[in-house]
Amino acid sequence: MSVTIFSEFESEVRSYCRAFPAVFSRAKGEYLLAEDGRKFLDFFAGAGSLNYGHNDDDMIEAAISYMRQDGVLNGLDLNTSAKAEFIETFRTLVLQPRDLNYKLQFTGPTGANAVEAAMKLARKVTQRPDIACFSGGYHGMSLGALSVTANAVKRASLVVQVPGVVRLPYEGAIEGSVASQLRVLQDMLCRPGFGIDPPAAFLLECVQGEGGVNCASAEWLQGVAALARKLGALLIVDEIQTGCGRTGRFFSFEHACIEPDIICLSKSLGGGGLPFSLNLIKPEIDIWNPGEHNGTFRGNNLAMVMATAALRKYWATPHFAHEVEEKGLAVAACLKNALQAFDGQVRVVGKGLMIGLRFQHAEHAREASRRLFESGLLIEVCGPRNEVLKLMPVLTMDRQAMLAAASRIAACAQALLSRSLESETA
């Protein structure tokens, strides 16, 4: 099929297809196949919505079996057997092993829906208007979610500034030790004369995805959590891209030993890429009135069926998380060893299998993505200047295949940086 049908009839708003100009027809495991026969190793994973790979046999079989039995597909918030099975499985395999006590709110199908609901609830609970968000943060493209997103280019479409937002520096955005950076936050929100009222909530990502794979330390996250408690504000952690094992734990906040008031989940929660979002809410703040927040497609039962299959397959034991963590360390070490001669030109950042190559010159990240696509590897860029090459491989990929791909990525970066240094010294 010619790509002209997309350029002629689809809106100009499309983006990923411009960076990856192929017509994909099939996908399995860690591979995408194009109509022209090209095969692509997936280091994009549907922007983090396909942690378990494409068309996992067990998830597909669960979905087909459910549909053949005429299972309810859209249940809104009706009680269904598929929802009951998901809730029980999530409670048993995710919450109980971590000694976590949350109620489940099924929001609309996207991560932005979850963020909107979380902010709305925080304002209702505290009766405060402001949400404190952080530099580098990304939380979605709907009005409220976009208002707390840091990227000015994305926010330009708002035209007007949405009120009720307090912007704070994420760890590393200002100079100084972690303690001194936390003191800045405390001064901004607690010292008389700054004119900033206590917010309803702090909203953050423990590892910022679109912001450039910025990782907050346990010390900083614990400091923000303590500040929230001091101010009587809620702590909302956006786990939309980091959740479901991406950082080597089911939740990225587990690394810091903190316990948010609200957790936003989506993307890989649906197991096989179907839209599905969820907020985990501390029971004491679940003060919603019936129907106060709703959405037609919050009852995607087919996604719940696939999500249940994913949880049972990968989260019944700690093995999968340990494997992801080990693979992440191996990939990061491979990249660091290969690129150590280019210190100052590129830096390896990230956690688990959410890894970035942060280039000093943004054009190197964009060119690396282009070259790797041409050689059969799908990988995107991120960061405020698109200066970070973002490794988001399918988590189930074989370790040796993953390390071989990491070597390909490192070789591509080496070639670009070597050429750049040669031109500078010529």
Side-chain angles (χ1 to χ4, degrees), residues 102-332:
Y102 289 99
K103 294 184 74 174
L104 280 63
Q105 179 186 357
F106 296 88
T107 68
T110 72
N113 291 130
V115 169
E116 296 279 2
M119 294 192 296
K120 186 175 175 181
L121 180 59
R123 287 171 169 139
K124 178 179 171 68
V125 169
T126 63
Q127 292 297 295
R128 297 173 182 174
D130 295 336
I131 302 294
C133 57
F134 291 88
S135 59
Y138 175 80
H139 303 287
M141 295 295 282
S142 55
L143 186 66
L146 194 56
S147 74
V148 289
T149 287
N151 190 302
V153 175
K154 295 185 185 299
R155 282 192 288 110
S157 61
L158 287 175
V159 182
V160 295
Q161 177 60 51
V162 176
V165 177
V166 175
R167 302 191 186 281
L168 302 173
Y170 193 75
E171 183 178 3
I174 55 177
E175 294 184 357
S177 65
V178 174
S180 67
Q181 292 181 60
L182 289 169
R183 279 196 299 272
V184 170
L185 298 182
Q186 177 142 330
D187 285 347
M188 290 177 70
L189 293 164
C190 301
R191 181 179 289 183
F194 271 75
I196 301 178
D197 294 326
F202 291 83
L203 171 62
L204 59 82
E205 302 154 276
C206 297
V207 182
Q208 294 182 332
E210 301 309 304
V213 196
N214 307 308
C215 295
S217 66
E219 182 184 356
W220 187 85
L221 290 168
Q222 290 165 3
V224 173
L227 181 57
R229 288 194 299 273
K230 177 179 179 179
L231 295 172
L234 303 187
L235 178 63
I236 305 171
V237 172
D238 180 339
E239 290 278 0
I240 291 163
Q241 192 166 101
T242 53
C244 304
R246 177 55 60 180
T247 68
R249 301 283 192 278
F250 190 89
F251 301 109
S252 63
F253 66 79
E254 292 181 65
H255 297 279
C257 299
I258 60 173
E259 198 166 307
D261 297 290
I262 303 175
I263 304 162
C264 301
L265 284 169
S266 188
K267 288 194 182 282
S268 283
L269 181 64
L274 294 185
F276 184 30
S277 293
L278 184 71
N279 277 346
L280 304 179
I281 304 168
K282 284 291 185 183
E284 60 270 22
I285 62 169
D286 181 27
I287 62 170
W288 289 116
N289 293 317
E292 189 174 5
H293 190 86
N294 55 32
T296 302
F297 294 106
R298 65 193 184 280
N300 186 345
N301 280 232
L302 192 60
M304 294 177 195
V305 167
M306 295 184 79
T308 300
L311 291 173
R312 289 173 175 168
K313 182 170 184 174
Y314 293 107
W315 296 99
T317 72
H319 176 74
F320 179 68
H322 293 161
E323 190 177 69
V324 170
E325 189 168 36
E326 191 277 331
K327 287 177 185 175
L329 291 170
V331 169

